[in-house]
Amino acid sequence: MIEASTVSIVHDDARLAGRDAADELVDVMGGRPDFVLLFASAKYEGRAVLDGLRGRLGGGVRIAGCSSFAEIDGKGGLTESVTAMGFRLGSALRVATLLDVSRDGDDRGLGRRLGERAQALDPSLILVFYDSLRCNGPHVLRGLQDALGATFPMVGGGAGDLGEFVRAYQIADGEVITGGASIAVFSGPIRIATAARSGWIPVGGEHRITAVEKGNVLLTIDDRPALELYQEYLGPRAAAVASLAVEFPLAVVGGLEGTCRPAEGEIAVLRAVAGIDVQRKALLLGGDLPEGTLVRMTTGTRDEVIRAAEEATAQALRSLPNPSCALLFDCMARKLVLGTRYRDELKEPMARLGSIPKIGFYTHGELSPVDGVCMCHNETFTLALLEG
C-alpha cells in the first residue's frame, strides 16, 4: 500500500533546501522513504539541491523529478521552493528511475530508448519529466509509445525555468542533466485515474493546418498565412497579438495521430501560441501540429479556466474515489493568464481531494491520457490519482 507525505522548503541556499526537505520527510514519515518525487524551483542549482537531499537520505532512496516554473504542495501553488513527496511502497510495488539525453535532435529516439529500458522492468505506470526547452515533448512521448504502446499509462510534464526559456534540468537518483528526460517506472499493482481540462472553449468554424515546419512552426491554415488568420480572429486586438497569444490557444478538434476524434464541440488537446514570426506570418506553437490537423480558435474567461480544474478533479475522483495521493501538472501559461488569481485555481481541487498527500508543478507542457491514450497538452490542468 502506498504511503506518501509532501514537504516544501524555501531557503536561499540550494543545498540546505535539499537537506531540510530530506529532514522533514524523514521526520513526518518516521523514517526514510523508498522513493522521492522532487520538483525544485529553477532558481536553485539542481546539483546542490540533489546533493543536500541525498546527503541526508543516502544513496538507496530512488529520486526522480525536474526543475520547475513554480510548485504545488498540499496547500496550493507556491514559488521558489523545493517541494518533495516521499513514498513508502510496501512489498508488492516497486519503482525504478531512468535517465537519458537526446542525441542529434532525435527526441523520438530518446523516448524509445527510455521506453525499451522501462519495458524490461514490467511497468504498470510511468512518470515522465522531459526538458521542454531542448526537447520536443510530443516526440519524446511518441518514442515512449513506440516501445510501450499507445495506451500505456503515463503522466508528467515538461521541465522548465522561471520564464527565461534558457535552461531546465532533469533528475534521476544521483544524476542531474539538461536536454533529456527522467522517468519513474512503477511496477506492481497500482490503480490510476487521470483527467485533463483546459476551460478554453472552441469558437468559429474548423480550419485545416496546411503547412508546418519543424513540427511546431505553423505557416499556413487553410492555405492562408497562419498569423494573418489568427490576427483576423483577434479583431481589434490584433495589434497586441504578441502579448495576447497566450490567452488564445488553438484547439485540436479533429484528433491527432493514434487518437480518436473527440465528440462535437470538445477539445482533444490545446496548442499554445508561444510566439509569432512576423516576417514569415507564422505562429510558433508550444507543441507539434501535423499537416492536415483540424483546429478551431478558442476563447475563455478566468472563471472558466478556474472551473476546468474543479471539473477535472471531480472527474478523476469519480473514477478513483479513495486515492492514496494526487499528482498535479498545471501549465505555467495558466498561471500567467490567471495572474493574481492563480491560487484560486487550486482552491476547489484541494478541497475536493481532502487530506491526501498532493504534489505537482507548473509545467511547460503536460502529459495526460485522453480516452486512454496519453497526449502532450498545452495550457491544460491535469492530475493523476494513485492508489496502491
Side-chain angles (χ1 to χ4, degrees):
M1 180 174 177
I2 292 177
E3 297 178 25
S5 296
T6 303
V7 301
S8 290
I9 300 294
V10 176
H11 201 296
D12 290 337
D13 186 288
R15 187 183 299 270
L16 294 181
R19 184 201 67 182
D20 290 353
D23 285 343
E24 285 206 21
L25 279 176
V26 170
D27 183 47
V28 298
M29 301 187 78
R32 295 194 317 163
D34 301 316
F35 167 60
V36 174
L37 188 54
L38 176 66
F39 301 124
S41 169
K43 90 163 198 174
Y44 295 112
E45 203 282 315
R47 179 77 263 168
V49 172
L50 188 59
D51 286 348
L53 190 76
R54 282 168 56 86
R56 282 290 199 258
L57 296 179
V61 176
R62 297 289 190 182
I63 302 169
C66 63
S67 61
S68 55
F69 176 75
E71 303 74 53
I72 299 170
D73 68 3
K75 297 178 182 177
L78 63 162
T79 58
E80 299 190 351
S81 77
V82 170
T83 298
M85 176 178 278
F87 290 77
R88 289 251 182 80
L89 300 174
S91 59
L93 197 58
R94 305 176 307 281
V95 67
T97 58
L98 301 173
L99 193 71
D100 204 345
V101 177
S102 183
R103 304 169 191 171
D104 300 321
D106 183 10
D107 299 329
R108 189 162 184 164
L110 162 66
R112 189 181 299 112
R113 289 193 302 274
L114 285 171
E116 289 169 351
R117 292 165 63 191
Q119 191 174 40
L121 300 172
D122 190 24
S124 49
L125 167 68
I126 294 180
L127 312 184
V128 183
F129 310 108
Y130 63 89
D131 192 324
S132 68
L133 307 183
R134 300 192 183 185
C135 297
N136 184 305
H139 290 188
V140 174
L141 175 60
R142 289 188 197 114
L144 285 160
Q145 291 172 327
D146 288 343
L148 297 163
T151 59
F152 185 87
M154 290 181 280
V155 296
D161 59 14
L162 300 182
E164 298 92 348
F165 300 98
V166 174
R167 181 180 181 271
Y169 57 81
Q170 304 81 57
I171 294 170
D173 292 343
E175 297 185 70
V176 180
I177 65 165
T178 61
S182 64
I183 65 174
V185 184
F186 286 81
S187 303
I190 188 168
R191 297 184 64 200
I192 178 172
T194 64
R197 288 283 186 276
S198 71
W200 273 267
I201 300 168
V203 295
E206 292 184 353
H207 301 275
R208 188 174 298 277
I209 305 302
T210 47
V212 179
E213 184 176 271
K214 298 180 180 179
N216 70 329
V217 180
L218 180 50
L219 300 174
T220 65
I221 304 174
D222 295 339
D223 293 319
R224 293 181 57 192
L227 178 57
E228 182 181 289
L229 182 65
Y230 191 72
Q231 288 180 304
E232 188 176 287
Y233 158 71
L234 290 178
R237 298 164 294 184
V241 61
S243 59
L244 283 173
V246 70
E247 298 186 34
F248 298 96
L250 300 181
V252 177
V253 294
L256 288 172
E257 177 186 353
T259 68
C260 298
R261 182 185 174 100
E264 178 64 28
E266 294 205 4
I267 296 173
V269 68
L270 286 178
R271 285 290 174 258
V273 179
I276 60 173
D277 184 332
V278 175
Q279 283 191 329
R280 304 180 74 190
K281 296 185 179 180
L283 301 177
L284 311 180
L285 304 180
D288 282 16
L289 276 185
E291 291 181 7
T293 302
L294 293 175
V295 298
R296 292 172 70 184
M297 305 301 177
T298 68
T299 188
T301 67
R302 286 169 175 76
D303 285 339
E304 287 163 336
V305 169
I306 289 169
R307 191 177 307 117
E310 176 185 350
E311 292 169 351
T313 307
Q315 177 189 341
L317 283 169
R318 285 194 294 271
S319 298
L320 196 64
N322 298 298
S324 304
C325 62
L327 314 179
L328 302 97
F329 307 111
D330 196 1
C331 185
M332 64 164 289
R334 296 172 67 85
K335 186 173 185 292
L336 295 176
V337 168
L338 290 171
T340 57
R341 295 190 63 191
Y342 85 93
R343 286 191 172 89
D344 292 348
E345 181 188 26
L346 292 174
K347 283 181 180 177
E348 189 61 29
M350 291 295 168
R352 285 180 177 269
L353 291 168
S355 61
I356 66 168
K358 313 166 192 73
I359 191 172
F361 74 108
Y362 286 88
T363 68
H364 290 200
E366 308 77 58
L367 300 182
S368 180
V370 174
D371 294 331
V373 176
C374 187
M375 303 176 71
C376 191
H377 304 263
N378 295 149
E379 302 201 34
T380 300
F381 176 89
T382 74
L383 78 161
L385 307 180
L386 307 185
E387 182 182 5

